[in-house]
Amino acid sequence: MKNIAPDFLLIGSGVAGLRAAISASRYGRVLILNKGGLNESSSQKAQGGVAAVLNAEEGEIDSHYQDTIDAGRGLCHDEAVRVLVEEGPNRILELIEWGATFDKIGSQFATVLEGAHRKGRILRAQGDATGAEIVKTLVEKARKIPNLIFSPNHFAIDLIVEDGICQGAWVLDQAKNTMDPILARGVVLATGGAGQVFSRTTNPTVVTGDGIAMAIRAGAMVSDMEFVQFHPTSLFLSNAPAFLLSEAMRGEGGLLRNSDGKLFMAAYHPDSELAPRDIVTRAIWHQMRQGQSVFLDLTHMESAYVRERFPTIDKTCREYGVDIACDKIPVAPAAHYMMGGIKTDLFGRTSLNRLWAAGEVATTGVHGANRLASNALLEGLVFGARVGDDLKNVAPLPQTPPIPLFNQRGGICPSPLETYYAMQKCVKDTMWHDVGIIRSAKSLERAMKQIKECEWVMNEPLPAAPTNKGEEKISSRLALETRNLVIVAAAIITAARARKESIGAHFLEDS
Ligand code: FAD
Ligand code: SIN
């Protein structure tokens, strides 16, 4: 891989990285990395759909704009939201032109309502497999582009920054366990969010906040880190992961009941089950604190329709002995989406020269304090394309830059695997209990103290040994991810401590 010499290095192959790579490939040779294969990303798992106004009815775009602003509780960047809702429809039409199929009823696109949307404007594919359809379409398109090269299973460790200019990244080849510097005239971080910082999350295991941590280490500006979205409904069973149960299930009529069989949402918000996501999450949390279990109930709906409408969810729930059409499904909230991240302008430019960011890793300002459901895939498409186009104007690197010797910083990964596993558990549990759905000044102080005790991992020599031994391969990635989780956790706590009032997803019980 070190012989590829790309013009542009794209780190991450979710919807944002893929879309950026497709546009960037018009201006030079693109290398696109991921650390876990093409099917391991939040994009691939996205269920509910993608919000976009495809009918030309007057006022529809404005209504999408207003719902996004309202959900963001006054903290959205107006111009960024305008870009999102106005460019979104073209990004979707382009996907359709490239082969994506969205579900239809008759000749019209099927749409569903989700929380805090005034209108049903959410498109979906194969019922609940919208992300997989979009990723498949983008990958097929990308594979036809000769100067776009995929490099799966390559883990970006750190950015290479010389004289304040980002010039590439150090990359771990996970198969060979070797590290190489990859230089490029433009670098894009599209590494997704940071759900794995929390012990309960809907996010896949690759989502460990690497891009945010790399940016922080390189001195790029991050913002809004206190705003973590907790999804109200993930599967809650002792033997199951926090598998997402799409908001679309409530959009189609699913109800939330407690162990007494009581519908409780109307007591918390006039929109009941379709209240904004943070409100539903806190309502469920409140019920659970009172000793109730909470269930998502679709048993009043036609069972054939439920199974056909949510085939992926149906299949996964069955694996854990739950029939979504006949059983009341036990649910609890889980960390789902990072509103904060690397601060960018409307073209994805970061505060670091020649570094761009797109997708969940970035903060464009479209989500404010609380993301409107199904706006994330749209953001990845719209701002991914903008970043790719912006690379058009990047001049070649001024000279062959000096490559710092990464290995000088350390030797073989020194600690046993158990140390990293234990540290990750400590970080995740601390974040879930003390920096989760309900926070307080005291809990945040306690969390910071705990995370500080983990910070030695940042000064530890980094794993750099070119070896083929299985255990060391695991420990390289584990050590690197642990370091990133600690950095991102500290950034979330710092931002949460600085914001003294409750707003959107940041809720302080003592404010
Ligand atoms: P991701 O899709 O997460 O991709 C990140 C990429 O970066 C991966 O390829 C990964 O391998 C790579 N990567 C990470 N770290 C490194 C590293 N160090 N080195 C190399 N590569 C790296 N949003 C909606 O709008 N609608 C929905 O219906 C919806 N449903 C969702 C369901 C689930 C279960 C989840 C988890 C999220 C959902 N979201 C939804 C949110 C949305 O899917 C994500 O915000 C969005 O897909 C993120 O896209 P991305 O391209 O920024 O990152
Ligand atoms: C869901 O399907 O509930 C997830 C939608 C989203 O996160 O936007």
Side-chain angles (χ1 to χ4, degrees):
M1 190 191 57
K2 63 184 166 196
N3 302 323
I4 287 174
D7 292 290
F8 308 117
L9 177 61
L10 270 289
I11 305 175
S13 64
V15 63
L18 288 165
R19 187 58 193 80
I22 289 168
S23 283
S25 66
R26 283 186 276 167
Y27 314 116
R29 207 167 146 84
V30 175
L31 179 66
I32 180 162
L33 312 178
N34 64 52
K35 69 175 181 182
L38 281 167
N39 289 338
E40 280 189 49
S41 66
S42 293
S43 300
Q44 176 72 20
K45 308 278 176 223
Q47 295 178 353
V50 54
V53 174
L54 290 194
N55 61 25
E57 265 177 53
E58 210 179 317
E60 290 294 316
I61 298 252
D62 286 343
S63 143
H64 187 190
Y65 166 85
Q66 199 54 52
D67 286 353
T68 303
I69 296 279
D70 292 348
R73 306 287 153 74
L75 293 188
C76 296
H77 184 304
D78 286 7
E79 239 183 302
V81 178
R82 273 275 157 227
V83 166
L84 179 81
V85 299
E86 285 178 2
E87 294 184 11
N90 280 341
R91 295 286 76 82
I92 300 295
L93 292 173
E94 170 187 82
L95 273 183
I96 294 169
E97 205 184 299
W98 293 345
T101 310
F102 292 100
D103 295 351
K104 287 188 169 174
I105 297 176
S107 60
Q108 302 289 316
F109 286 109
T111 54
V112 70
L113 203 59
E114 287 184 359
H117 283 269
R118 242 165 291 190
K119 296 245 172 94
R121 57 172 81 91
I122 296 159
L123 307 169
R124 60 175 184 265
Q126 293 146 47
D128 57 4
T130 315
E133 177 69 13
I134 294 178
V135 169
K136 182 179 103 191
T137 305
L138 292 172
V139 168
E140 279 170 8
K141 171 79 182 167
R143 287 211 190 281
K144 290 184 196 137
I145 300 173
N147 59 340
L148 199 162
I149 301 149
F150 282 96
S151 228
N153 298 310
H154 282 78
F155 186 114
I157 302 169
D158 258 324
L159 298 168
I160 297 171
V161 182
E162 288 289 320
D163 300 328
I165 299 174
C166 181
Q167 306 193 346
W170 279 96
V171 175
L172 172 74
D173 178 336
Q174 295 176 102
K176 297 190 189 133
N177 213 31
T178 54
M179 284 197 216
D180 294 308
I182 307 291
L183 301 178
R185 61 185 160 109
V187 178
V188 181
L189 286 172
T191 49
Q196 289 293 334
V197 173
F198 295 87
S199 52
R200 265 192 77 74
T201 180
T202 62
N203 290 189
T205 52
V206 289
V207 185
T208 51
D210 298 352
I212 299 174
M214 274 189 266
I216 292 174
R217 285 193 294 269
M221 202 183 286
V222 297
S223 76
D224 296 12
M225 291 296 290
E226 66 274 36
F227 296 121
V228 177
Q229 184 167 71
F230 295 88
H231 197 290
T233 53
S234 66
L235 188 60
F236 191 48
L237 287 173
S238 57
N239 63 340
F243 174 70
L244 184 75
L245 297 162
S246 175
E247 198 152 309
M249 297 174 92
R250 280 173 281 129
E252 292 284 356
L255 298 168
L256 290 168
R257 293 185 190 277
N258 62 20
S259 350
D260 300 333
K262 214 174 134 197
L263 299 172
F264 56 83
M265 270 313 302
Y268 294 90
H269 195 276
D271 292 339
S272 298
E273 271 74 5
L274 291 180
R277 202 170 266 185
D278 58 319
I279 290 170
V280 183
T281 295
R282 284 196 294 276
I284 293 177
W285 195 247
H286 185 232
Q287 289 288 314
M288 293 175 84
R289 269 192 175 179
Q290 291 177 333
Q292 296 281 345
S293 298
V294 174
F295 301 88
L296 179 61
D297 180 7
L298 285 78
T299 57
H300 53 287
M301 293 164 63
E302 218 240 302
S303 54
Y305 179 72
V306 169
R307 289 192 228 290
E308 186 195 327
R309 174 68 179 81
F310 301 108
T312 316
I313 297 173
D314 183 34
K315 182 171 173 284
T316 304
C317 285
R318 270 170 197 278
E319 285 166 18
Y320 295 99
V322 175
D323 180 334
I324 61 168
C326 300
D327 297 329
K328 294 186 179 64
I329 315 164
V331 294
H336 181 61
Y337 185 85
M338 190 71 215
M339 267 81 73
I342 306 165
K343 196 167 172 51
T344 70
D345 67 8
L346 296 178
F347 302 94
R349 299 173 194 148
T350 72
S351 64
L352 185 59
N353 204 345
R354 292 182 190 246
L355 178 70
W356 284 254
E360 196 172 333
V361 74
T363 293
T364 55
V366 295
H367 306 306
N370 193 25
R371 174 176 66 94
L372 185 67
S374 290
N375 265 354
L377 291 171
L378 193 68
E379 184 191 25
L381 293 168
V382 167
F383 287 91
R386 284 190 147 234
V387 164
D389 286 335
D390 201 50
L391 293 171
K392 181 180 184 179
N393 303 315
V394 187
L397 286 173
Q399 61 202 42
T400 309
I403 298 166
L405 274 181
F406 199 87
N407 291 7
Q408 280 177 351
R409 289 207 234 154
I412 296 172
C413 176
S415 300
L417 296 187
E418 291 69 33
T419 311
Y420 298 110
Y421 286 126
M423 189 181 294
Q424 287 207 4
K425 182 169 171 6
C426 169
V427 170
K428 287 163 187 253
D429 288 348
T430 299
M431 294 301 285
W432 178 252
H433 293 296
D434 284 341
V435 198
I437 298 161
I438 312 274
R439 304 160 176 180
S440 69
K442 227 180 182 155
S443 76
L444 294 175
E445 189 187 329
R446 193 165 55 227
M448 191 50 117
K449 217 166 143 199
Q450 188 63 62
I451 296 300
K452 285 237 168 284
E453 281 179 24
C454 299
E455 279 183 353
W456 61 264
V457 78
M458 288 189 255
N459 303 319
E460 202 185 34
L462 285 168
T467 163
N468 284 321
K469 280 197 212 147
E471 184 170 285
E472 277 159 15
K473 270 190 218 173
I474 301 169
S475 72
S476 297
R477 176 156 165 187
L478 189 67
L480 293 164
E481 287 180 342
T482 306
R483 187 172 75 127
N484 291 339
L485 289 172
V486 171
I487 289 171
V488 173
I492 295 172
I493 301 168
T494 303
R497 290 179 88 187
R499 189 172 288 280
K500 305 289 183 200
E501 82 288 3
S502 292
I503 181 163
H506 173 65
F507 191 88
L508 291 163
E509 63 186 346
D510 51 357
S511 75

